[in-house]
Amino acid sequence: MRSWQAPVEVKVVAGLLAGLPVAWALLDLIPVLGAGAGLAIYRMPALALLLGGVVTTGLVLKLGSARIGGLVVTVGFALLHAFLLLGAELWWVKLFSGLSFAGYGYAFVLLNSMPLKRHLLGAQA
């Protein structure tokens, strides 16, 4: 099996954009199983996974617009998790929202890094 040839920064961004929504969905199992919440609670993690998957696919295919789309996605979900951090009452939701905010912020920084730009744009970067 051949591995994906990309800089580490690109792989970390792809992992964050795919992994954070999955962890969010797993965290949402607690209210669904414990308090009997409806499945509508999964709308935002599903949207985050869908948008993160689109950006990750663009990174794999080396589409230049994937970087701009990734910047928009990371800023949007970082702000969402910042507001969730401020409005949450449960400590584990606050902890997860803070870590997700940091994760999306780190992905934003990596999307602006030169190795990622070289991966997408080649010699034009």
Side-chain angles (χ1 to χ4, degrees), residues 33-89:
L33 296 177
L39 294 178
I41 197 170
Y42 287 110
R43 286 185 185 153
M44 288 309 290
L47 179 64
L49 185 60
L50 177 71
L51 294 176
V54 168
V55 171
T56 301
T57 303
L59 290 175
V60 170
L61 298 176
K62 295 184 178 183
L63 300 175
S65 60
R67 181 177 160 269
I68 302 301
L71 292 173
V72 171
V73 168
T74 55
V75 166
F77 283 104
L79 286 174
L80 175 69
H81 281 287
F83 288 130
L84 288 175
L85 174 65
L86 294 172
E89 293 184 18

Side-chain angles (χ1 to χ4, degrees):
M1 184 171 143
R2 209 176 94 204
S3 66
W4 177 32
Q5 299 296 321
V8 174
E9 290 85 354
V10 178
K11 293 178 182 179
V12 169
V13 168
L16 285 171
L17 290 178
L20 287 172
V22 171
W24 191 4
L26 290 174
L27 181 73
D28 282 347
L29 276 175
I30 296 170
V32 168
L33 296 177
L39 294 178
I41 197 170
Y42 287 110
R43 286 185 185 153
M44 288 309 290
L47 179 64
L49 185 60
L50 177 71
L51 294 176
V54 168
V55 171
T56 301
T57 303
L59 290 175
V60 170
L61 298 176
K62 295 184 178 183
L63 300 175
S65 60
R67 181 177 160 269
I68 302 301
L71 292 173
V72 171
V73 168
T74 55
V75 166
F77 283 104
L79 286 174
L80 175 69
H81 281 287
F83 288 130
L84 288 175
L85 174 65
L86 294 172
E89 293 184 18
L90 302 172
W91 67 269
W92 64 79
V93 176
K94 285 183 180 275
L95 177 67
F96 177 76
S97 293
L99 291 173
S100 292
F101 174 76
Y104 281 116
Y106 187 55
F108 181 84
V109 169
L110 289 179
L111 283 167
N112 285 316
S113 69
M114 189 54 75
L116 192 133
K117 289 179 183 178
R118 278 195 206 116
H119 172 74
L120 294 178
L121 302 175
Q124 296 173 352

